[in-house]
């Protein structure tokens, strides 16, 4: 529709040419432009999932690798009916860092109306810990926090 926005495409290579940028997609499709704005996540850059030609400088790689990725886990709960209010986000000040900090209401009209879904977020050590629990243990923990 006249925009230069592309969705659901995976970049595999970025080449800087004289007065041009060439981007190769995983599909093999090649795009060229006068310039490009790249918003790759730090995780993509740290794992070198994209080839850069010329390669990124030592300074840029050093800066990229100076960031630490924090583990992040979300649990999705679906209920017979929504028992929470119409706020999009519910913040739970945890006693332990990262312990069910944010809850998101997916039941909203602008997200997924009628779904009766609420999503909890855990970060850091709590995200690592929950990854080792059974589904039943995760549900019990979520319900305990909600109560």
């Amino acid at each position: 529709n006249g925009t230069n926005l592309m969705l659901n495409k995976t970049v595999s290579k970025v080449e800087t040419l004289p007065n041009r940028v060439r981007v190769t997609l995983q599909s093999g499709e090649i795009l060229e432009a006068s310039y490009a704005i790249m918003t790759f996540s730090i995780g993509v850059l740290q794992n070198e999932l994209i080839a850069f030609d010329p390669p990124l400088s030592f300074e840029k790689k050093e800066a990229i690798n100076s960031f630490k990725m924090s583990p992040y886990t979300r649990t999705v709960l679906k209920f017979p009916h929504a028992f929470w209010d119409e706020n999009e986000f519910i913040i739970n000040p945890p006693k332990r860092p990262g312990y069910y900090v944010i809850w998101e209401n997916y039941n909203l009209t602008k997200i997924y109306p009628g779904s009766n879904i609420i999503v909890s977020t855990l970060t850091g050590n709590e995200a690592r810990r929950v990854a080792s629990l059974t589904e039943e243990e995760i549900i019990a923990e979520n319900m305990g926090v909600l109560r």
Side-chain angles (χ1 to χ4, degrees):
N1 64 1
T3 69
N4 290 325
L5 178 65
M6 298 178 77
L7 302 173
N8 300 315
K9 303 287 183 178
T10 302
V11 173
S12 60
K13 186 176 184 180
V14 176
E15 297 172 83
T16 303
L17 307 168
N19 302 315
R20 306 286 298 155
V21 177
R22 180 181 295 144
V23 176
T24 304
L25 302 179
Q26 199 172 48
S27 66
E29 185 178 356
I30 295 175
L31 311 168
E32 286 196 21
S34 299
Y35 61 91
I37 298 171
M38 293 175 256
T39 59
F40 303 121
S41 73
I42 198 72
V44 165
L45 295 171
Q46 285 178 344
N47 287 289
E48 299 181 355
L49 299 177
I50 298 170
F52 288 92
D53 184 12
L56 296 178
S57 68
F58 172 79
E59 292 80 11
K60 284 183 181 166
K61 286 183 180 179
E62 191 175 53
I64 289 166
N65 290 318
S66 70
F67 288 93
K68 288 192 173 192
M69 294 294 294
S70 178
Y72 177 89
T73 297
R74 296 167 59 114
T75 60
V76 179
L77 302 172
K78 181 172 177 51
F79 291 92
H81 64 288
F83 55 85
W84 51 90
D85 61 29
E86 291 295 311
N87 290 318
E88 184 173 353
F89 295 101
I90 304 160
I91 308 299
N92 175 44
K95 294 180 173 91
R96 301 186 325 232
Y99 188 77
Y100 298 97
V101 180
I102 299 172
W103 294 78
E104 294 175 70
N105 178 6
Y106 277 30
N107 199 48
L108 296 175
T109 303
K110 67 180 184 176
I111 300 175
Y112 192 26
S115 66
N116 302 323
I117 291 176
I118 192 167
V119 178
S120 65
T121 300
L122 299 103
T123 60
N125 291 333
E126 290 298 327
R128 281 189 202 91
R129 182 188 61 76
V130 166
S132 68
L133 299 180
T134 66
E135 185 175 325
E136 292 77 21
E137 290 170 323
I138 292 169
I139 291 169
E141 254 188 29
N142 274 271
M143 294 307 294
V145 173
L146 284 172
R147 284 186 184 99

